[in-house]
Amino acid sequence: MEEPTQPADSAGPISSTVHRWRRLAVRHDLEWSELLLIALNLYGLRGNNTEGMRLRLNSEDEEFMLVLPADRATSPFSLRAHVDPSSPQHGLSELCVDGTPVAEIIEAEPGEEVRGYLRADGTAATLLLQSEVEPAELVKCYRDLLEALASDLADDGEQHLFDEVTLSAGGARDEQTVVEHLLAVREAMTAEGLPESTTLGVLTPALRSKAAFDELAEKVGPVLLFLTTETYQDDSAVLAAEPIVPEDAAAADPSVAPVASHQSERLSEILSAAREAGHRTSFTYTVGSEPLDEMRAWLLPLAEQTTMWPSLTILPAESPVDDSQHIAAPDERLDFFLEARRLLEQIFAPTQLRPQPWRCYRGLWYRQHAGEHLDGPYV
């Protein structure tokens, strides 16, 4: 197991937290950098920045981007900048765990919301749904966003073409609004010279009907649907009085009574309808608010209808408002997420899907999945 590195002039004792995490990494057979990134997503940064922080760091010669809460008074993580001009480390910024340097900081800035951003080494663009724009101006608005993002990469004067464009509409509720915006994004993509083969993705809880999926298939072609389960509201059905227990879940461990809610079944039906219309399917899910057996039962129906590895997000610890959402006690929380990671790998093993680290800012996988190396891009 690799050891955390320290800069040459940062001599000092290694914190007890780092020692404890080293042992945890060995027990779970994880690379040090893998555990470090999971812990950073879980605990956030010490400080009082309520906007959060967009952090770009170097860990074992690989670059990663994270968006973190930065107002966690009890977090072991802090940033340290070397400002002494006489120091060999002058100008260097470090990520520390209880004072022990563990990674180099490339860039840190407040996590203010932007209208769009780039991922996957600049090959994937994400556009936020522009709800305040008049319908007649949508195509121009999204075209301007694509041009602005592409200009950040066109250092050589050549037009930059994206492999994937995703519309982020996690707060949208109206299905037809999302359809109209997707039509506008595809039209803007075409106007910018992106070929029809360019993936059009969407993150939303709003798409759910066969009619909408058929309309999208006809007018924009196949889309990559990430169904955002955290903001999904089932307005069309009454929750079942009795929980639904999948037979395979009960048979796997008769001593456990996992609960797969009506909502989980409904979400799987939506993914199934999208697949039948020719779309690729996935979903988002936040890990940490329910026991592992319930999580397994809830996710099994969705896993059967998923064609792209889902965005499985870490629920941050120590919310200044309310920490009761977490199922695990504070001193057991990191171990809980490492156990959850192993269980999730088992749940999705039959799909043969693998995580793409750049897709999730607060994920559970970075360079390693089920004991195997994950290729980049990581940012």
Side-chain angles (χ1 to χ4, degrees):
M1 186 62 56
E2 299 180 36
E3 298 290 320
T5 57
Q6 284 184 270
D9 69 342
S10 299
I14 296 177
S15 73
S16 60
T17 303
V18 170
H19 280 301
R20 186 171 69 254
W21 287 359
R22 284 179 179 174
R23 293 192 293 271
L24 202 56
V26 171
R27 187 166 46 142
H28 287 273
D29 193 25
L30 289 182
E31 297 177 359
W32 165 251
S33 64
E34 195 81 356
L35 181 139
L36 185 68
L37 291 164
I38 293 170
L40 181 56
N41 273 302
L42 172 59
Y43 294 114
L45 291 169
R46 192 180 307 157
N48 56 10
N49 186 345
T50 56
E51 293 181 343
M53 188 75 70
R54 300 172 73 89
L55 202 65
R56 192 183 296 267
L57 58 84
N58 183 304
S59 179
E60 297 176 3
D61 298 322
E62 297 288 358
E63 188 174 323
F64 300 90
M65 170 75 83
L66 303 93
V67 178
L68 305 164
D71 57 354
R72 301 306 194 241
T74 60
S75 171
F77 288 99
S78 62
L79 303 183
R80 179 168 68 190
H82 293 267
V83 297
D84 182 358
S86 64
S87 170
Q89 303 295 111
H90 175 62
L92 176 68
S93 294
E94 297 170 323
L95 176 70
C96 299
V97 173
D98 288 340
T100 300
V102 292
E104 176 188 354
I105 300 300
I106 300 171
E107 183 181 30
E109 58 183 14
E112 297 176 347
E113 186 174 282
V114 294
R115 294 197 302 161
Y117 53 88
L118 299 176
R119 301 301 306 270
D121 288 343
T123 64
T126 296
L127 312 178
L128 273 64
L129 184 136
Q130 301 300 298
S131 58
E132 304 302 319
V133 177
E134 293 295 327
E137 298 296 320
L138 281 177
V139 175
K140 181 182 184 301
C141 174
Y142 286 123
R143 187 174 181 182
D144 289 345
L145 285 176
L146 288 171
E147 287 180 351
L149 291 172
S151 67
D152 294 340
L153 302 167
D155 297 333
D156 55 3
E158 297 293 327
Q159 182 184 20
H160 182 84
L161 299 180
F162 299 113
D163 297 327
E164 180 176 316
V165 176
T166 295
L167 178 66
S168 179
R173 289 288 179 266
D174 182 69
E175 183 176 62
Q176 193 56 39
T177 296
V178 175
V179 171
E180 291 170 358
H181 280 254
L182 284 169
L183 293 175
V185 172
R186 176 59 86 182
E187 188 173 339
M189 291 165 62
T190 300
E192 287 302 299
L194 296 176
E196 291 185 6
S197 59
T198 305
T199 296
L200 173 58
V202 59
L203 291 94
T204 183
L207 295 176
R208 59 185 70 186
S209 73
K210 180 180 184 302
F213 293 132
D214 288 344
E215 181 179 0
L216 288 171
E218 177 186 353
K219 296 180 179 179
V220 305
V223 301
L224 171 56
L225 168 67
F226 270 83
L227 193 58
T228 54
T229 67
E230 298 91 342
T231 53
Y232 172 81
Q233 294 180 351
D234 189 357
D235 300 324
S236 62
V238 179
L239 295 182
E242 295 296 328
I244 303 170
V245 181
E247 293 181 5
D248 57 347
D253 186 354
S255 67
V256 175
V259 177
S261 69
H262 169 86
Q263 187 186 70
S264 174
E265 297 290 347
R266 173 61 182 140
L267 290 166
S268 69
E269 291 172 0
I270 293 172
L271 294 176
S272 176
R275 288 184 66 183
E276 289 177 3
H279 304 298
R280 287 188 288 164
T281 55
S282 195
F283 62 92
T284 68
Y285 172 82
T286 300
V287 181
S289 61
E290 56 189 350
L292 295 182
D293 57 342
E294 292 185 17
M295 179 188 74
R296 178 181 184 275
W298 202 89
L299 292 179
L300 278 171
L302 278 70
E304 295 176 356
Q305 302 297 336
T306 300
T307 66
M308 174 74 74
W309 183 270
S311 180
L312 301 165
T313 303
I314 294 172
L315 180 65
E318 301 297 334
S319 164
V321 178
D322 181 15
D323 192 40
S324 64
Q325 299 177 68
H326 269 278
I327 194 65
D331 59 347
E332 300 172 353
R333 204 158 284 164
L334 180 55
D335 192 61
F336 170 88
F337 279 97
L338 299 182
E339 292 288 350
R341 171 187 157 112
R342 182 177 301 170
L343 176 57
L344 289 163
E345 290 173 347
Q346 294 171 359
I347 291 172
F348 288 94
T351 69
Q352 299 186 333
L353 301 174
R354 289 166 63 83
Q356 293 174 291
W358 61 268
R359 285 193 180 274
C360 190
Y361 273 131
R362 192 175 293 143
L364 278 162
W365 293 268
Y366 292 91
R367 302 199 311 177
Q368 192 177 358
H369 169 260
E372 298 181 356
H373 179 74
L374 281 176
D375 295 326
Y378 302 108
V379 179

